[in-house]
Amino acid sequence: MMKKQDLITIIQGITKGTKVQAEEILKALTDAIADEMAKGGSVDIAGFGKFEGIMRDARTARNPRTGEMVKVAAKRVPKFKAGKALKDKVAGK
């Protein structure tokens, strides 16, 4: 499993910069994507996928412990749809 530090090391190797600079690049990228999703927008990276912030409607759900029906408020949730190139790469095509 790849973790954040592994990504930072890869970015550092590509940019030939410091680990601090690589971490700043990764943080800027993830912050930019998250900020756009929080506004309800989307970030489409051709060949990789589309990140979206979508609204989930309010609903009534059942508490599994008590069986009681509870109201769940509407909220914005993250959504990711993989692009064709990513799907093909993962499938080994």
Side-chain angles (χ1 to χ4, degrees):
M1 174 172 55
M2 185 178 288
K3 299 200 177 219
K4 181 180 176 181
Q5 288 303 314
D6 300 322
L7 288 171
I8 290 169
T9 301
I10 291 169
I11 293 169
Q12 179 191 14
I14 292 169
T15 62
K16 307 288 191 252
T18 66
K19 282 210 177 208
V20 171
Q21 290 169 327
E23 188 170 5
E24 288 172 354
I25 291 168
L26 182 59
K27 182 170 177 18
L29 175 66
T30 56
D31 285 351
I33 292 170
D35 289 347
E36 186 61 27
M37 291 170 67
K39 294 187 288 187
S42 64
V43 177
D44 193 355
I45 302 173
F48 185 74
K50 185 175 185 178
F51 298 88
E52 293 181 273
I54 62 168
M55 283 302 292
R56 182 175 289 161
D57 293 335
R59 61 190 168 85
T60 303
R62 187 181 62 82
N63 181 331
R65 286 191 185 172
T66 65
E68 178 185 0
M69 298 305 284
V70 294
K71 290 184 179 182
V72 179
K75 64 180 176 178
R76 188 171 309 283
V77 295
K79 178 181 175 184
F80 176 75
K81 182 177 180 187
K84 183 178 181 336
L86 177 61
K87 288 178 186 178
D88 289 348
K89 186 163 192 157
V90 171
K93 293 182 181 179

